[in-house]
Amino acid sequence: RGRVSFEGMLVDRLGGVTLNGNLQDAAVTLFGQQLNETSASWYLARTSAGQGRAAFRELYGKVHGGTATTQAQLQFDRQQAQYQVATSIQNVQLASWLESWQSRNPAPDDQSVGPRREKPSDVRGVMDAQLHLAGVVNNPASRTGGGRVEIRDGYIYKLPIFLAILNVLDITIPNNDVLSEAHGQFYVTGNTARLTDIAVTGESLSLVGTGTMSLHDQSVDLTLVNAGAGRLARVPVLAELWEGASRELVELHVTGPVSQPMVRASPIRGVTDEFKKLFQKRKPKRTLQAVNP
């Protein structure tokens, strides 16, 4: 919704359309999130046979206290349309984003199992993310892409997935001792996102791991290692200490919907090459001041 301007040929001599213009002061829904005060340049070219291309260049807008910059392209004929989208968001307020996400993904009716679904006000942080996707419109199985998410200055231990982990580990977190930083990469194929380089750190806990997430029902299958109280995140030469430290570590298996995950813990019997790579050639993380609730 908004104001659009354009110039070009509505119908050229061959029966096609060629237009370009600008979008101003618009409200745009992108991946289920509404962008406000949006502006962009755009173009549309279509032949009389129904083949063509449409694109938004530098679609810029405000979202949840931050900003989003997007480029999108649609190539189409009379049978189908293929899309390519690349978007980057900066300084998004995590609480606002979670409130929007929960309104579109209500929790299951049965709330008797698992940790309480926290209100967005119980969680804080600033989120940056990058995402690129390509596929065929109305064909989720054709999706391919990936991206990265990073949360900083956070207060995120009350997210259901972390509450479930803390409950299994029997850890009590004081108000001034929170998980403050998280990041991870993901790769999308169809309805599945493969998660890699997951790292969540704070004064009370450090978790690293990999896994998958279903884009259909937001269920996860994660394998995480509890590295304990941020200790390993601060050691410069992690690879040399890994074998000894692994005797103290716990492997966590997290499954089910992110709103009500189930967590199983087991001692690490052996260190896999995959988890060794998580600690090799990794620079020490910058220590951030925790945000009090």
Side-chain angles (χ1 to χ4, degrees), residues 1 3 5 11 43 52 64 66 73 100 124 147 171 181 201 244 247 256 290:
R1 302 187 304 277
R3 294 187 293 120
S5 62
V11 180
Y43 76 86
H64 300 306
Q73 179 175 282
S100 174
R124 293 194 301 272
I171 295 176
E181 189 175 350
T201 61
R247 302 189 193 100

Side-chain angles (χ1 to χ4, degrees), residues 111-151:
Q111 299 289 331
S112 60
V113 179
R116 178 174 66 90
R117 188 179 177 88
E118 297 298 320
K119 298 179 181 179
S121 59
D122 294 327
V123 179
R124 293 194 301 272
V126 180
M127 180 171 65
D128 297 337
Q130 295 81 43
L131 168 66
H132 58 91
L133 278 180
V136 177
V137 174
N138 295 325
N139 183 2
S142 70
R143 284 186 295 215
T144 59
R148 181 176 180 83
V149 176
E150 183 171 339
I151 298 171

Side-chain angles (χ1 to χ4, degrees), residues 5-137:
S5 62
F6 63 89
E7 61 181 11
M9 297 293 295
L10 288 173
V11 180
D12 61 27
R13 288 179 294 178
L14 298 178
V17 173
T18 305
L19 300 171
N20 62 83
N22 295 295
L23 181 69
Q24 295 176 308
D25 299 327
V28 176
T29 300
L30 180 67
F31 300 122
Q33 302 294 328
Q34 181 166 306
L35 278 61
N36 297 305
E37 301 180 34
T38 302
S39 62
S41 61
W42 62 272
Y43 76 86
L44 168 67
R46 180 178 62 83
T47 69
S48 59
Q51 297 175 325
R53 180 175 297 180
F56 282 105
R57 303 186 188 95
E58 297 299 326
L59 179 68
Y60 175 86
K62 296 183 178 180
V63 56
H64 300 306
T67 60
T69 304
T70 302
Q71 297 189 21
Q73 179 175 282
L74 191 69
Q75 189 167 346
F76 56 88
D77 55 31
R78 293 189 185 276
Q79 280 72 44
Q80 68 178 19
Q82 298 179 338
Y83 64 87
Q84 294 181 345
V85 180
T87 188
S88 174
I89 63 173
Q90 295 85 34
N91 302 318
V92 166
Q93 295 300 312
L94 184 61
S96 178
W97 184 87
L98 284 174
E99 184 176 7
S100 174
W101 186 87
Q102 288 184 6
S103 67
R104 293 182 293 107
N105 299 273
D109 293 334
D110 183 9
Q111 299 289 331
S112 60
V113 179
R116 178 174 66 90
R117 188 179 177 88
E118 297 298 320
K119 298 179 181 179
S121 59
D122 294 327
V123 179
R124 293 194 301 272
V126 180
M127 180 171 65
D128 297 337
Q130 295 81 43
L131 168 66
H132 58 91
L133 278 180
V136 177
V137 174

Side-chain angles (χ1 to χ4, degrees), residues 161-241:
I161 193 167
F162 298 133
L163 284 177
I165 288 172
L166 295 177
N167 184 60
V168 168
L169 295 177
D170 194 23
I171 295 176
T172 301
I173 304 251
N175 289 339
N176 62 348
D177 202 7
V178 297
L179 293 173
S180 59
E181 189 175 350
H183 67 79
Q185 296 183 6
F186 59 92
Y187 302 91
V188 176
T189 304
N191 278 317
T192 301
R194 181 168 58 90
L195 311 175
T196 66
D197 293 333
I198 301 171
V200 185
T201 61
E203 292 298 321
S204 301
L205 189 66
S206 290
L207 300 170
V208 294
T210 62
T212 61
M213 177 177 180
S214 168
L215 302 180
H216 174 67
D217 58 8
Q218 289 80 50
S219 62
V220 296
D221 185 351
L222 306 177
T223 300
L224 305 173
V225 169
N226 167 27
R231 175 172 51 86
L232 291 182
R234 300 190 188 96
V235 179
V237 189
L238 297 172
E240 297 178 5
L241 302 178

Side-chain angles (χ1 to χ4, degrees), residues 235-240 276-284:
V235 179
V237 189
L238 297 172
E240 297 178 5
K276 285 181 182 179
K277 291 178 182 178
L278 289 174
F279 289 93
Q280 292 173 346
K281 298 180 181 180
R282 185 179 298 281
K283 295 180 180 180

